[in-house]
Amino acid sequence: MTPLARIPRPTAMVPTKSMRETFVDTVAGELDGDPRLAVVLAEISADRFTEVAERYPERVINVGIREQALIGVAGGLSLTGMRPVVHTITPFLVERPFEQIKLDLNHQSAGAVLVSTGASYDYPAAGRTHMAPGDVALLDTLPDWTVHVPGHPAEVPAMLRTAFAADGLVYIRLSERGNAEALAEGPEFRTIRHGREGVVLAVGPMLRPVLAATAMLDVTVLYAATVRPFDAAGLRAAALSASPDVVLVEPYLRGTSSHLVEDALSALPHRVHALGVSRDAELRAYGTAEQHEAAHGLGPTEIAASVRRFLGARSA
Amino acid sequence: MTMSTRSDTGPGHADLPALLNRLSGDEKHSFAAHSTLDVLWVLYDRVLSVTPQNTGDPKRDRFLLSKGHGPMAHYAVLAAKGFFDTDLLDGWGGFDSPLGFHPDRVLVPGVEIGSGSLGHGLPLAVGTALGLRAQGYTRSRVVVLIGDAELEEGSNHEAIALAGRLGLDRLTTVVVDNMSSTHGWPGGIGERFAREGWAQHTVDGHDHDLLREALTDTRADQPLAVVARVAERGADV
């Protein structure tokens, strides 16, 4: 193992301010300086925007529990030149109004910044209705989306500000889960650790269990906080300098980015192993996020075993 | 019926049948196309401030055709008003034509939204009205046209309640009523809007003077609904 960069120490330390709180604070600050910015809510988090809603009643719009209108209104705002920031819990933002996303945003050529909270299983006691592990896969059926999966609250403000200043379609997937420190530096994948036996690509909050799982393995660890566009060149370079055996670890539906890994490595013989939220069965369980992580094979122990099996199978 | 006969140099209402005839090959949608023709003409000729010259002006009035399966009348009116060359009408629906059986705002000058899937125009119109209001364009009107059967889509009812409560007085919904809703609207379509705080008129959808009167009767702090009654689906043409 040849650690070139300082290896972040995985800890279970909870950041003092959550991604969601960071999002609210950043938006509130940016509303002051950017007259184009408008926030569209469907009750969720509206209580956190009360103060700015009083200051900017025409630019902080709570449509009530109306998720089709949530996206339709955002599309209309965008058509007039505004920059809508749309926010609610993942399933109600992406799944319920999916045709509105396809038609009221993409098809109208209207931009928007969609910011979800809850990720795949952040509110496990709430059950399946509040889980949306298919969000990124769904958006992946549409062109032109930039997708950020931050792994730490301190990564969120820069992503938001970049998205606000642009015109296109941006999805930012906030989570209650997070890494020990902020590591995202831009849209490229960042090399956290160099190794020789393979490459483990950890997306967003998956870095924490991946670092714990690979502490004793001679692998390169890449960190991705932006998955669309997909840093194919970064992955290719890592595979060439380590080995073209890639483990993709995503905090949403297993294999969501496999097609892009395949495209990135198409010029060299390679193997890909994807980890993520199970596609095989609906997990009918409540409990804690850690329990769901383990059940989907995404805890440190499960990832370590899976990576060892995959790398060990190479010579078989 | 009153025919509008403004003395502009361009094509007038009387030229619309000839323009419509150039749009051949979509018989199944012809009823919808013709039921909207008079409303569209009145809007573009006598109500809205939108012309080929101001399509890039953020303060322009906007017409959103939500009932996108009847675009022939819209294309004919846009061509008559000079938004695009009338020659484009001949090849509509072809691979290279910007004019599809459902309109695409990115391809057609003067088309504000792409539509075809029902129930999208009214929520988009609410957002458009909110965007104009937030930018201080308080005189710009937003008119969206839907059908009485399209009204069945739940997304409309989210938008109707929201617009009423937000008092979007520059927003107007025209419901072209050809009685094609399978389960109907007890109490009338206008009542659906009135209950949510909208001003509403129900008028003959072919009478230009009545349409103009209804479409210009906007009220402070209230959105406006105009139900334009036309012949029952299948009964005309």
Side-chain angles (χ1 to χ4, degrees), chain A residues 141-164:
Chain A
T141 65
L142 301 172
D144 301 328
W145 281 90
T146 294
V147 177
H148 299 298
V149 187
H152 189 280
E155 296 171 354
V156 173
M159 288 173 181
L160 287 169
R161 291 194 183 103
T162 304
F164 296 166

Side-chain angles (χ1 to χ4, degrees), chain B residues 11 19 22 76 78-82 84-91 99:
Chain B
L19 294 173
R22 296 172 72 170
L78 287 173
K81 288 295 182 184
F84 53 80
D85 196 295
T86 54
D87 287 346
L88 280 183
L89 299 174
D90 298 324
L99 309 184

Side-chain angles (χ1 to χ4, degrees), chain A residues 80-267:
Chain A
T80 70
M82 303 286 287
R83 184 66 169 153
V85 182
V86 192
H87 166 73
T88 185
I89 299 175
T90 320
F92 315 132
L93 184 66
V94 176
E95 295 178 323
R96 188 175 184 123
F98 184 69
E99 197 200 44
Q100 274 76 16
I101 292 176
K102 172 190 165 194
L103 296 180
D104 301 354
L105 297 177
N106 276 89
H107 184 53
Q108 306 304 333
S109 198
V113 183
L114 268 49
V115 182
S116 70
T117 188
S120 293
Y121 42 70
D122 280 359
Y123 314 121
R128 176 66 170 174
T129 56
H130 286 57
M131 298 177 184
D135 57 342
V136 177
L138 267 172
L139 287 176
D140 217 19
T141 65
L142 301 172
D144 301 328
W145 281 90
T146 294
V147 177
H148 299 298
V149 187
H152 189 280
E155 296 171 354
V156 173
M159 288 173 181
L160 287 169
R161 291 194 183 103
T162 304
F164 296 166
D167 292 312
L169 293 162
V170 183
Y171 178 57
I172 305 181
R173 185 186 212 256
L174 306 182
S175 180
E176 308 287 331
R177 316 285 294 155
N179 304 322
E181 58 184 303
L183 292 163
E185 291 180 323
E188 290 82 26
F189 300 162
R190 180 171 172 188
T191 305
I192 304 301
R193 173 195 291 164
H194 286 281
R196 291 170 301 189
E197 300 293 317
V199 178
V200 181
L201 174 57
V203 174
M206 284 293 102
L207 182 63
R208 186 175 48 81
V210 162
L211 286 175
T214 58
M216 303 303 288
L217 297 174
D218 185 12
V219 293
T220 289
V221 174
L222 292 183
Y223 172 57
T226 298
V227 290
R228 302 291 183 278
F230 191 82
D231 182 10
L235 177 61
R236 201 156 41 237
L240 286 170
S241 75
S243 126
D245 292 317
V246 174
V247 181
L248 170 66
V249 188
E250 297 181 284
Y252 34 75
L253 215 55
R254 185 171 64 79
T256 296
S257 296
S258 288
H259 66 109
L260 293 167
V261 174
E262 292 290 345
D263 289 350
L265 303 179
S266 62

Side-chain angles (χ1 to χ4, degrees), chain A residues 270-302:
Chain A
H270 64 273
R271 295 191 306 142
V272 181
H273 181 52
L275 299 178
V277 175
S278 171
R279 290 174 180 264
D280 307 331
E282 181 181 326
L283 178 58
R284 292 183 187 273
Y286 300 100
T288 67
E290 285 75 12
Q291 289 172 311
H292 281 255
E293 202 168 79
H296 290 297
L298 294 174
T301 312
E302 296 80 24

Side-chain angles (χ1 to χ4, degrees), chain A residues 35-51:
Chain A
R36 256 189 2 138
L37 213 57
V39 181
V40 195
L41 305 167
E43 291 303 344
I44 301 298
S45 300
D47 54 333
R48 298 162 190 245
F49 282 96
T50 313
E51 192 253 330

